[in-house]
Amino acid sequence: MGRIGTIRRAPEIVAVFAKHGFAGYIKDLGLAEKIPFTRRAAKEQNVKGEELRRALEDLGPTFMKLGQFLSTRTDLLPPSWTDPLAKLQNSAPGMPFDAIRKIVESEAGQPLDEWLIYMEEIPLGVASIGQVHRAALKDGTEVAIKIRRPGIEPVIRNDLSILRQLASLAERNSELARQVSLKAVIDDFAAALGREMNYRLEATEATGMRESMKDKRIYVPRILPEWTTERMLVMEFVSGKSLRGDVITGIPVEKRQELARALSETVLRQVFIDGVFHADPHPGNLLLLQDGRLGLIDFGNTGRLSDDMRHLLSDCLFALADRDAAALSMLVLELGARKPIERRQLQRDISRWMAGYMDVELAEVQMGAMLQELFTVAGSHHISIPKDFVQVGQAFLKVEQTVIALDPGSSLSGMVRDMAKEVLLGRIHPREMMRESRSFLRLFKMAANKLPSIVNETLNEWEGGQPKLKMHLTADNNMMRRLERMASLVVLSVIMLAFSIIMAGIFVSMGNQSPISGTNTYIIALVTAVLMTILFMTVLYLMWRKIK
C-alpha cells in the first residue's frame, strides 16, 4: 500500500474510533486534528472495553491482533477493558483453495502432486493471518500445513506504520501518551506480530520445546524443517480434540488429575527452569490425543526469560509466598520506572494489596490472577512491566483455568511452592555459581582494562586546564507547556494586530470613494475583507486548539 493508501487509511482509523465514542480519548492523546470534521462534535460517551473491541473488529486483522495484545497489558488497562478485549475472535473467512495451492507450490518450489499424496481443500482452522490444511507427504507422513494469507503483509505493514506515526504524534502532544510510553507499546506489539507471522521462528521455538520436554504425558508435534519457510509451516499432524468442557467431562477423574498435574508442572518448568515457555496455553492449543496424552500446538506466541529475569520472577513469587511487602516492592522497582516513584507509597499499596491474601493459603490462590493484580499495582506507579513478565502472567492465567477445569482441587500456586526447592537448589548449584562467577570476572576484567586509559585521559585534561563537565538536563513537561502557551499567545496577538491594520486600510480605501463611481474597487475591497475575516477566524480557531 503506497503513500495514497496511508493518507486514506489514517483518517479512516481515527474516524472508526470516533464513531464508537472515543473522540474524547483521541483529544486526550493530542490527536484532535486527526478527527474528521464530521465527527468532531460527536457526543462524549462513557465507553469501555466492549466499545473498543467493536472498534478494533471494524478495523481488521491488525487491530484485532492489537486488541488481543492489549488484553494482556493489565499494567496499562483495568479489567473492565482487558476482559472484553480477550474475547476478540481471531477468525476470518477461509481463502479459496486455488490461492492456497499457489502459495504452497511457490514455497515448496514444485507442483503439489510431486511432494504430497493429497491436501484437503477444507481447512482445519482459519485465522486472520493464516489457515491450516491437512495433507500427507509422499512417504505417507500425515502433516498439518499452515499458510500465511496472501497479501496480508502490506496491509499489516501499512497499519503498523500509521500506528507508529499516531503514537509519535500523541507523545509529542499528550502527557497521557508519554506516561504510558505509547511508542514503546506499539513497538512491542509490532515485534510480537512480526514474530507470529514468521513461521520459521515458530518452527524453531516448537523444535526447542519438543527437545526440552521432560514430561512424557505432554506431546509436542515434530516440525519438518525441510519444507518449512517464512510463509509456510509443515508439522506432524496429531489427531485429537480441543481440551474444552465437553471433552474434559468425558475423561475419568483420575486421568484428569494426572493431566492437570502434568500440564502445571510443564508450564512451571518451562518458566522457572528452561526460561522458554508457551505463552498462550488456552484450551484451543491443547489437544487430548487418542493415546491419552496432551498435545501442545501453535507456538506463534512464546516467551523467553533471561537468567536474571527468571531469578527476579522467582524472587517475586517467594516474596509473595512469605507476604513480604518490603522485599516485593524492592523487586518490583527493579523492573524499571517511567518516572520518579514514591517508594513508601508503593510499599504501602503493595502491603494493602497483600492484606487481601493474608488469611489465604498459597495453595488456594490463583497465581495468574494474583500476578495480574500485582502488575496493575505496579502500573499505577508508572513502573514498566517487561513484556516477558506480562507473558508469564498470561500463561499462568490461561493454564490455571484449564487446570481447574480438569481438577478443581489442583493449584498452580501449590505446585510453585513444591518447585521452590528445585529452583533454589538450581541457583546455588556449583555449575550455576561457576557460570555467574565467570560472568562477574569477565565484566570486572573489562572494567579494569578501561580504567587506566580513563584515568590517564582525565589527568591530561586537568593538566591542560581543560576539564570537561557533562550535564544532562531534562525539561519539565509542565514548564514546556506553559512556554508553548505563552508563545502561542504572543503569535496570536501579532496576528490580531496585523488583521486590525489590514482591515483598517481596507475600510479607509472604501471610505475614500463612492460605491457608485468605484463599484469594482468597492466590491474587490469588500471581498478582500470577507476573505481576510475567514482566514483570521480559521487561524484563530487553530491557535485556540493549540493553546487549549
Side-chain angles (χ1 to χ4, degrees):
M1 191 177 291
R3 175 72 175 167
I4 299 298
T6 302
I7 293 173
R8 291 175 179 171
R9 178 65 167 159
E12 176 193 347
I13 292 169
V14 179
V16 168
F17 283 116
K19 181 184 77 173
H20 285 275
F22 289 92
Y25 287 99
I26 294 171
K27 292 174 184 176
D28 290 342
L29 289 173
L31 302 175
E33 67 268 19
K34 297 293 183 180
I35 304 177
F37 280 102
T38 56
R39 294 285 177 189
R40 288 185 183 174
K43 184 179 178 181
E44 298 296 328
Q45 300 179 28
N46 183 25
V47 289
K48 288 283 177 70
E50 195 60 40
E51 289 78 13
L52 180 58
R53 181 184 65 80
R54 287 197 289 267
L56 295 173
E57 285 177 339
D58 288 350
L59 288 169
T62 308
F63 289 85
M64 291 171 67
K65 286 291 183 183
L66 176 61
Q68 293 172 348
F69 174 79
L70 291 176
S71 71
T72 68
R73 297 303 302 266
T74 53
D75 57 318
L76 298 177
L77 298 173
S80 59
W81 290 80
T82 57
D83 290 348
L85 293 179
K87 299 174 185 176
L88 275 166
Q89 297 299 311
N90 188 22
S91 59
M95 295 177 286
F97 186 71
D98 288 341
I100 294 296
R101 175 192 288 273
K102 289 179 182 177
I103 297 172
V104 172
E105 292 180 342
S106 173
E107 295 300 308
Q110 55 186 298
L112 209 68
D113 54 9
E114 289 188 11
W115 67 289
L116 293 176
I117 298 175
Y118 71 88
M119 182 175 180
E120 293 183 354
E121 295 191 14
I122 299 176
L124 295 172
V126 180
S128 56
I129 290 179
Q131 66 186 49
V132 182
H133 288 257
R134 185 176 180 175
L137 301 179
K138 284 294 186 181
D139 62 4
T141 303
E142 286 198 300
V143 294
I145 303 177
K146 181 155 72 169
I147 307 100
R148 193 166 68 196
R149 280 181 172 272
I152 194 70
E153 300 98 324
V155 173
I156 289 179
R157 189 165 53 246
N158 185 63
D159 284 346
L160 289 176
S161 174
I162 293 170
L163 283 171
R164 285 192 170 105
Q165 293 172 20
L166 294 175
S168 297
L169 180 61
E171 285 205 1
R172 286 199 300 270
N173 296 338
S174 167
E175 176 64 22
L176 175 62
R178 289 189 290 270
Q179 284 181 2
V180 300
S181 301
L182 191 57
K183 285 199 299 185
V185 172
I186 297 301
D187 287 341
D188 284 347
F189 165 64
L193 188 55
R195 289 193 300 271
E196 187 175 346
M197 290 179 64
N198 189 336
Y199 291 157
R200 275 204 180 98
L201 292 179
E202 181 176 346
T204 301
E205 298 290 7
T207 301
M209 287 194 189
R210 177 181 170 85
E211 293 173 352
S212 64
M213 183 61 65
K214 306 294 184 190
D215 199 315
K216 301 302 182 183
R217 296 165 294 183
I218 307 293
Y219 185 73
V220 177
R222 181 169 59 93
I223 299 294
L224 282 74
E226 63 272 24
W227 298 109
T228 296
T229 68
E230 186 177 328
R231 300 177 64 201
M232 182 174 75
L233 175 66
V234 182
M235 66 188 300
E236 171 191 4
F237 175 78
V238 288
S239 179
K241 299 178 180 178
S242 295
L243 203 62
R244 304 190 187 276
D246 55 337
V247 174
I248 291 175
T249 54
I251 305 174
V253 174
E254 288 138 4
K255 184 65 176 179
R256 280 159 52 181
Q257 292 173 344
E258 180 188 350
L259 292 177
R261 185 159 192 88
L263 182 58
S264 300
E265 290 176 352
T266 295
V267 172
L268 291 175
R269 178 170 290 278
Q270 287 179 343
V271 170
F272 291 109
I273 307 297
D274 301 334
V276 182
F277 59 95
H278 196 302
D280 196 21
H282 62 77
N285 288 336
L286 295 166
L287 301 179
L288 179 64
L289 306 183
Q290 293 178 347
D291 59 6
R293 291 181 295 175
L294 280 183
L296 193 59
I297 60 172
D298 194 352
F299 297 87
N301 186 5
T302 57
R304 285 184 173 270
L305 295 173
S306 65
D307 291 338
D308 290 340
M309 295 290 277
R310 283 194 295 115
H311 295 165
L312 181 58
L313 178 62
S314 60
D315 286 340
C316 284
L317 293 178
F318 296 153
L320 279 171
D322 294 336
R323 310 298 199 269
D324 189 345
L328 185 57
S329 61
M330 292 179 63
L331 291 167
V332 167
L333 280 171
E334 288 189 37
L335 300 177
R338 296 188 291 265
K339 60 189 300 186
I341 289 177
E342 179 56 52
R343 292 171 180 257
R344 291 184 181 276
Q345 184 61 44
L346 173 63
Q347 184 173 334
R348 282 196 295 269
D349 288 349
I350 288 179
S351 297
R352 191 179 301 115
W353 165 70
M354 291 181 71
Y357 293 96
M358 278 299 179
D359 299 326
V360 182
E361 290 293 328
L362 185 62
E364 300 175 12
V365 173
Q366 291 191 18
M367 184 63 69
M370 188 164 66
L371 277 179
Q372 300 297 319
E373 292 173 7
L374 177 61
F375 294 162
T376 301
V377 173
S380 67
H381 287 268
H382 308 292
I383 293 174
S384 300
I385 306 298
K387 60 181 178 59
D388 304 305
F389 270 28
V390 174
Q391 286 181 304
V392 169
Q394 283 296 305
F396 283 177
L397 194 66
K398 291 175 181 178
V399 80
E400 231 167 7
Q401 293 170 351
T402 304
V403 166
I404 291 173
L406 284 167
D407 179 18
S410 293
S411 166
L412 197 64
S413 304
M415 294 180 190
V416 168
R417 181 189 56 200
D418 297 340
M419 188 170 281
K421 182 179 179 180
E422 184 179 354
V423 173
L424 287 173
L425 288 175
R427 290 177 62 171
I428 62 174
H429 192 279
R431 184 175 58 217
E432 179 68 13
M433 296 181 71
M434 284 295 295
R435 188 195 63 79
E436 291 185 358
S437 299
R438 287 196 304 270
S439 177
F440 173 78
L441 289 173
R442 192 179 302 114
L443 293 173
F444 183 80
K445 181 178 179 295
M446 292 169 60
N449 288 339
K450 288 182 178 180
L451 186 60
S453 60
I454 293 173
V455 171
N456 187 51
E457 183 180 342
T458 304
L459 290 175
N460 287 336
E461 288 179 355
W462 280 93
E463 185 179 3
Q466 295 179 336
K468 296 178 181 177
L469 178 64
K470 292 184 178 180
M471 298 180 66
H472 178 71
L473 300 177
T474 303
D476 177 71
N477 291 327
N478 291 328
M479 181 184 70
M480 294 302 296
R481 282 199 301 271
R482 286 195 295 269
L483 289 174
E484 287 180 0
R485 187 169 295 179
M486 290 171 59
S488 299
L489 288 172
V490 170
V491 172
L492 184 59
S493 301
V494 172
I495 292 174
M496 291 182 68
L497 178 61
F499 176 74
S500 301
I501 295 172
I502 293 172
M503 292 301 293
I506 291 174
F507 284 123
V508 167
S509 64
M510 290 172 62
N512 291 335
Q513 59 187 333
S514 168
I516 299 175
S517 59
T519 303
N520 292 336
T521 308
Y522 184 84
I523 292 174
I524 290 172
L526 190 59
V527 170
T528 303
V530 172
L531 291 176
M532 287 299 298
T533 302
I534 294 173
L535 178 62
F536 173 73
M537 295 302 295
T538 302
V539 173
L540 186 65
Y541 170 70
L542 295 174
M543 292 297 296
W544 173 78
R545 284 179 57 192
K546 182 70 175 176
I547 293 171
K548 186 179 177 183

